[in-house]
Amino acid sequence: MNLYHLQIFCAVAENRSFAKAAEKINISQPAISQIIQKLEAYLDLRLIERKGKMFQLTSHGELLFEYGKRIFNMADEAENALKRFGTPRQRLFLGATSICGAHVLPAFISRFMEMNPYVQFYVSSTEHNHELIDKLVKNEVDLAVTYETLVLRDDIEVTRIIQDEFVLALPRSHPWASGQLVSEDEIVTLPFIIYNQGHIIRPIMESMLSGRSINVALQLNQLDAIKNAISHGIGVSMLPLSAIRWEVRHGLLAVANCPTFRVPKYIVCMYKKTNRLPGLLASALDCLRSRDWVSQLP
């Protein structure tokens, strides 16, 4: 089959008019008619029904049009791929605390890669903000995402992105899982799962439970392990809402309705101040600030 004839046929089929196709591709209408006739003769099939001004593709014409569109779309894709072949991938080095790295960054990275498909991401994780700042200062990471903390350095810029919340997670089977208001005194009678020293949530829990005697049922450091322990009824613990939204929605965990045990916390991005940000980093910051990726969070 002559691909040029197929291309002319697809133009006619797309515009549903010989006259419009002739105008669009700058070929005379009689020439188009001759090409279509040659194509029909080659295939020994009727492709277009013409009765006066009426124009209609036959079932064979519809089928050929669908294949024609696929052929020329693939040709365009091949051309674009060849143009991009060999283009060096840009790299973006990100730092994050484990919670942000697991539950926030994937949505941002997914959205950013839709707009910049040839960017490679490298993510390093830590539990300590001072280590993230050290990586920024040493140019080991371009951008860090973490929970807001006091940064006493003039060379580090901090920008709020979204607000998270630390909440007290309960087993779904717990009597308080239905949402009734619970007092602080009632909460501290529960068995607690606490975090190991050094975890970002540990000082938040210590501050809230200061001066109170509690029953420590378990001590862990991994967020998923704590979620599993709670779901199995071992105890309760503070968790970021961003990390348990899916479990709450699907009835695996619940959130205690106790205002004392709800702590709002901003998630921020940190980067090293410079007179002019590199283009890729500036684009990443614009994407983070736009917040259009937030809809992709679980």
Side-chain angles (χ1 to χ4, degrees):
M1 183 188 301
N2 187 310
L3 286 180
Y4 176 68
H5 291 174
L6 178 60
Q7 187 177 25
I8 298 301
F9 166 75
C10 287
V12 173
E14 183 179 4
N15 289 278
R16 303 287 168 168
S17 165
F18 282 78
K20 290 180 180 177
E23 182 180 348
K24 186 173 182 179
I25 60 181
N26 198 26
I27 297 177
S28 69
Q29 190 169 334
I32 288 180
S33 297
Q34 289 180 6
I35 289 171
I36 298 299
Q37 288 172 7
K38 287 181 181 179
L39 184 59
E40 289 179 327
Y42 172 80
L43 296 170
D44 195 22
L45 294 169
R46 194 74 171 168
L47 301 175
I48 300 173
E49 294 289 352
R50 287 159 288 184
K51 293 182 180 178
K53 292 185 177 181
M54 189 189 78
F55 177 100
Q56 185 176 351
L57 293 177
T58 65
S59 58
H60 293 114
E62 292 284 3
L63 182 61
L64 182 62
F65 182 40
E66 287 302 315
Y67 274 98
K69 286 190 292 185
R70 288 162 62 180
I71 288 169
F72 293 116
N73 283 340
M74 288 181 67
D76 289 338
E77 290 176 12
E79 183 179 352
N80 290 333
L82 287 169
K83 288 178 180 177
R84 293 193 299 261
F85 184 76
T87 301
R89 286 179 177 265
Q90 294 180 288
R91 297 178 178 182
L92 197 58
F93 292 84
L94 305 180
T97 47
S98 60
I99 297 171
C100 294
H103 300 283
V104 177
L105 278 187
F108 158 68
I109 291 174
S110 174
R111 175 57 180 151
F112 191 74
M113 289 187 71
E114 289 176 10
M115 302 179 291
N116 304 271
Y118 295 98
V119 174
Q120 288 181 327
F121 284 89
Y122 297 83
V123 181
S124 59
S125 180
T126 179
E127 295 302 336
H128 305 288
N129 281 347
H130 67 83
E131 292 180 3
L132 290 177
I133 292 170
D134 188 54
K135 287 178 178 291
L136 286 168
V137 172
K138 293 179 179 178
N139 296 315
E140 294 177 5
V141 299
D142 303 307
L143 183 69
V145 177
T146 183
Y147 286 99
E148 187 173 39
T149 188
L150 183 63
V151 178
L152 300 175
R153 290 191 65 109
D154 294 334
D155 55 343
I156 299 296
E157 187 75 35
V158 180
T159 301
R160 287 178 173 178
I161 307 172
I162 58 173
Q163 189 176 52
D164 199 359
E165 188 176 21
F166 290 104
V167 296
L168 189 74
L170 306 168
R172 189 62 203 179
S173 58
H174 196 279
W176 296 341
S178 56
Q180 66 267 42
L181 188 64
V182 185
S183 71
E184 183 180 346
D185 289 337
E186 290 174 305
I187 290 291
V188 295
T189 65
L190 299 174
F192 272 78
I193 302 168
I194 64 171
Y195 295 82
N196 293 337
Q197 287 289 351
H199 196 282
I200 190 172
I201 303 180
R202 173 78 179 234
I204 295 174
M205 291 187 67
E206 288 178 344
S207 175
M208 298 175 66
L209 297 169
S210 179
R212 289 183 176 271
S213 176
I214 62 168
N215 172 21
V216 177
L218 192 61
Q219 185 166 319
L220 293 169
N221 207 43
Q222 295 296 322
L223 208 68
D224 286 341
I226 292 173
K227 287 196 287 186
N228 287 332
I230 296 171
S231 67
H232 282 85
I234 295 174
V236 302
S237 191
M238 297 292 292
L239 288 168
L241 189 57
S242 63
I244 61 169
R245 196 173 280 115
W246 187 91
E247 287 84 356
V248 172
R249 188 182 301 127
H250 290 82
L252 302 176
L253 294 174
V255 175
N257 184 9
C258 180
T260 304
F261 283 84
R262 298 187 77 103
V263 182
K265 197 76 170 175
Y266 277 102
I267 293 174
V268 300
C269 65
M270 301 188 298
Y271 56 95
K272 193 174 180 180
K273 289 182 181 178
T274 180
N275 292 333
R276 184 177 180 181
L277 292 174
L280 185 61
L281 178 55
S283 297
L285 286 169
D286 287 343
C287 183
L288 274 171
R289 292 164 179 158
S290 73
R291 302 181 73 251
D292 63 354
W293 51 273
V294 174
S295 61
Q296 299 185 36
L297 290 171

